Amino acid sequence: MFVPCVGPGAPAPDFTGLTLLLPAVSVGNVGQLATDLIISTLNMPKVGYFYTDCLVPMVGNNPYATTENNSAELSINAEVYSLPSKNLIVLQIRSPFIKYKSRSFCEALLSWVKSSKCTRVLVLSSSHAYRRDDQQLQGTPFRYLFTPELQKNIGNQIQYLNWKEMEETLSFPEMQDSDMCIQIPGGGITKLLYKLSCSEGIQMAILLKFCSEGDNIPDAIDLANYLNEWLQVLKTPQSNDPKAAPPKWKIPSSWRLLFGSGLPPALF
């Protein structure tokens, strides 16, 4: 459930008509890193947190600290940021799911989406590059999925982007006569969220990139750029010119320790 960060007697934030953006905890943590870039670049204020027993408990310092004064602020495993001027709210997820709790989380999340009257939900995700079939090896490493309700509302608006929809693949690749279905290996809750949203009539878009574990900062920047082509979170020219300047994302201060704090000088 959503718990606002407001003083006693103050009204809770109104999310009516806004777009909810959240990451899936997936391969390379690409969705979470891309979400970090958006929160940091837009300097989005925290408006609350999502209280749940479905995520591994976590607490840490402010990942978007800009000064010593705000560096000691605490952050937890699921926090909500809002920027109505961009028509955007963001739920950042920072820890994995407790075993057998992912469905409960998805159901609670979609219930909150309905009660808060968000217009649509965007999920940033990733999938194992090595699990692609022959057709997925061709062209762009990005894919999208829209629920029927979202497809009905946006019509042909997405066609000018020349994006590729996630292909259906064999349920059992070793059996050529098996059924075709959507598969997102390494995508965490991505497929479950999509299926539940389809059945409940929620407008949801899945944006993902095929990638591998490692230094996934370039993948996160690419996924943020992919999202920006559609949402224009950072205004860029609507052009197919490959020489056009890409958006300038602000790297969060917490990324300095993404691979640890380095080797201690005492070793040498």
Side-chain angles (χ1 to χ4, degrees), residues 1-3 48-55 76-78 80 105 108:
M1 61 179 295
F2 173 70
V3 181
Y49 59 94
F50 200 75
Y51 179 75
T52 175
D53 64 352
C54 301
L55 293 167
I76 60 172
N77 54 10
V80 180
F105 177 85

Side-chain angles (χ1 to χ4, degrees), residues 164-218:
K164 288 192 71 172
E165 189 173 9
M166 189 68 172
E167 301 91 343
E168 290 188 340
T169 58
L170 292 170
S171 302
F172 302 98
E174 62 277 4
M175 299 173 60
Q176 293 301 314
D177 59 345
S178 62
D179 294 335
M180 302 291 287
C181 67
I182 296 295
Q183 305 246 38
I184 309 178
I189 63 170
T190 306
K191 183 177 177 179
L192 177 58
L193 269 177
Y194 176 73
K195 291 177 65 177
L196 290 175
S197 297
C198 287
S199 63
E200 296 187 24
I202 291 175
Q203 297 187 49
M204 176 176 285
I206 308 292
L207 308 183
L208 65 83
K209 184 183 182 185
F210 294 116
C211 66
S212 302
E213 294 279 3
D215 181 357
N216 295 104
I217 290 177

Side-chain angles (χ1 to χ4, degrees), residues 229-252:
E229 288 180 28
W230 177 24
L231 279 197
Q232 289 289 291
V233 174
L234 297 182
K235 293 296 181 182
T236 57
Q238 294 288 339
S239 170
N240 293 324
D241 181 6
K243 296 182 179 179
K248 293 184 178 179
W249 301 102
K250 180 182 176 184
I251 303 299

Side-chain angles (χ1 to χ4, degrees), residues 17 69 98 117 129 137 150 200 220 234 253 257:
N69 292 333
I98 293 173
K117 300 180 180 178
L137 287 169
L150 178 61
E200 296 187 24
L234 297 182
S253 57
L257 302 177

Side-chain angles (χ1 to χ4, degrees), residues 87-263:
N87 196 41
L88 191 66
I89 57 174
V90 175
L91 170 62
Q92 176 61 301
I93 301 172
R94 297 193 177 95
S95 68
F97 291 96
I98 293 173
K99 197 172 184 179
Y100 307 124
K101 289 280 191 176
S102 56
R103 175 173 285 273
S104 296
F105 177 85
C106 292
E107 292 171 348
L109 173 67
L110 296 181
S111 175
W112 175 55
V113 168
K114 290 180 177 179
S115 63
S116 61
K117 300 180 180 178
C118 297
T119 300
R120 58 188 176 184
V121 183
L122 307 183
V123 180
L124 299 181
S125 185
S126 52
S127 184
H128 284 301
Y130 76 90
R131 292 286 299 275
R132 289 175 291 176
D133 65 8
D134 290 347
Q135 61 179 336
Q136 293 172 335
L137 287 169
Q138 302 175 19
T140 175
F142 299 98
R143 294 293 187 275
Y144 77 90
L145 276 173
F146 291 162
T147 59
E149 194 67 22
L150 178 61
Q151 188 68 60
K152 181 175 66 178
N153 278 273
I154 66 173
N156 298 324
Q157 297 175 20
I158 207 74
Q159 287 187 353
Y160 72 92
L161 294 174
N162 199 29
W163 282 3
K164 288 192 71 172
E165 189 173 9
M166 189 68 172
E167 301 91 343
E168 290 188 340
T169 58
L170 292 170
S171 302
F172 302 98
E174 62 277 4
M175 299 173 60
Q176 293 301 314
D177 59 345
S178 62
D179 294 335
M180 302 291 287
C181 67
I182 296 295
Q183 305 246 38
I184 309 178
I189 63 170
T190 306
K191 183 177 177 179
L192 177 58
L193 269 177
Y194 176 73
K195 291 177 65 177
L196 290 175
S197 297
C198 287
S199 63
E200 296 187 24
I202 291 175
Q203 297 187 49
M204 176 176 285
I206 308 292
L207 308 183
L208 65 83
K209 184 183 182 185
F210 294 116
C211 66
S212 302
E213 294 279 3
D215 181 357
N216 295 104
I217 290 177
D219 296 311
I221 294 173
D222 288 345
L223 187 58
N225 288 337
Y226 185 61
L227 169 70
N228 198 62
E229 288 180 28
W230 177 24
L231 279 197
Q232 289 289 291
V233 174
L234 297 182
K235 293 296 181 182
T236 57
Q238 294 288 339
S239 170
N240 293 324
D241 181 6
K243 296 182 179 179
K248 293 184 178 179
W249 301 102
K250 180 182 176 184
I251 303 299
S253 57
S254 55
W255 283 22
R256 290 177 298 178
L257 302 177
L258 204 57
F259 298 102
S261 55
L263 297 174

